[in-house]
């Protein structure tokens, strides 16, 4: 999925650097994330303390006490260009990437890709996909809109 943001990559990048539970949130539908107990609180500002992100760092997806394994690891970080996260298990069952493609001096295309390895059992795979596809679409759409609104509000 993708969205065009009226801002250069350097205005979007700080929002991506602070993704995560107990950090900037995921900029999507906070009420939906918290309905399942993730304890997400989306911020509307850039927080300097959350800008330190490096390859190997862990991003929490939910409360550590309720969801101890709900983490992603930073596996690629190319400032103002790309952020790639994945589950820490081998092989990874989920990879989530964010790519910033400048269109001109003031406009950027943000692309979000997600790859999830589903169970081998065909019935379970179909069931999981029938739930994951619409949920992923709605939450990613919300995230893209949330990132655009926050970025454009601060760059105008």
């Amino acid at each position: 999925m993708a969205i065009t943001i009226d801002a250069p990559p350097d205005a979007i990048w700080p929002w991506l650097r602070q993704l995560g539970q107990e950090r900037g949130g995921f900029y999507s539908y906070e009420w939906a994330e918290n309905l399942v107990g993730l304890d997400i609180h989306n911020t509307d500002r850039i927080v300097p303390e959350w800008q330190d992100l490096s390859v190997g760092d862990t991003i929490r997806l939910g409360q550590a006490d309720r969801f101890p394994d709900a983490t992603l690891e930073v596996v690629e970080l190319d400032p103002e260009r790309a952020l790639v996260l994945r589950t820490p298990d081998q092989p990874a069952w989920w990879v989530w990437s964010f790519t910033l493609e400048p269109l001109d001096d003031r406009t950027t295309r943000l692309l979000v890709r997600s790859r999830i390895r589903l169970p081998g059992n065909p019935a379970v795979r179909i069931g999981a996909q029938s739930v994951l596809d619409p949920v992923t679409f709605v939450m990613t759409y919300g995230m893209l809109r949330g990132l655009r609104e926050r970025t454009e509000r601060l760059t105008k």
Side-chain angles (χ1 to χ4, degrees):
M1 295 179 70
I3 197 165
T4 300
I5 300 175
D6 291 328
D10 66 340
I12 304 163
W13 185 249
W15 296 102
L16 295 177
R17 289 183 74 110
Q18 64 186 32
L19 283 174
Q21 193 267 344
E22 294 184 346
R23 292 172 56 91
F26 295 101
Y27 317 116
S28 190
Y29 304 110
E30 187 177 291
W31 65 268
E33 293 163 331
N34 292 329
L35 192 63
V36 295
L38 297 177
D39 193 31
I40 301 297
H41 304 283
N42 297 320
T43 188
D44 289 323
R45 64 188 181 92
I46 302 299
V47 179
E49 297 82 33
W50 294 334
Q51 294 303 303
D52 185 26
L53 189 67
S54 302
V55 170
D57 286 352
T58 298
I59 303 293
R60 292 218 52 79
L61 301 171
Q63 291 180 324
D65 59 340
R66 292 191 67 197
F67 304 98
D69 297 328
T71 63
L72 296 173
E73 178 184 344
V74 177
V75 293
E76 183 179 334
L77 189 140
D78 186 0
E80 300 177 15
R81 296 187 48 87
L83 173 64
V84 181
L85 310 171
R86 70 177 187 107
T87 52
D89 41 13
Q90 296 293 334
W93 66 268
W94 182 24
V95 178
W96 200 15
S97 70
F98 303 83
T99 305
L100 297 170
E101 294 182 354
L103 300 178
D104 56 39
D105 290 345
R106 285 261 332 132
T107 311
T108 304
R109 192 84 171 146
L110 169 59
L111 292 90
V112 178
R113 294 178 179 94
S114 183
R115 178 171 289 203
I116 298 172
R117 181 174 38 92
L118 297 174
N121 179 309
V124 174
R125 178 185 298 270
I126 290 168
Q129 194 165 10
S130 68
V131 171
L132 282 174
D133 283 352
V135 169
T136 300
F137 176 84
V138 168
M139 296 307 287
T140 303
Y141 176 74
M143 175 188 245
L144 289 170
R145 288 186 54 220
L147 283 163
R148 180 179 61 193
E149 289 166 9
R150 285 167 174 81
T151 302
E152 290 179 353
R153 185 173 49 244
L154 289 184
T155 57
K156 298 249 179 201

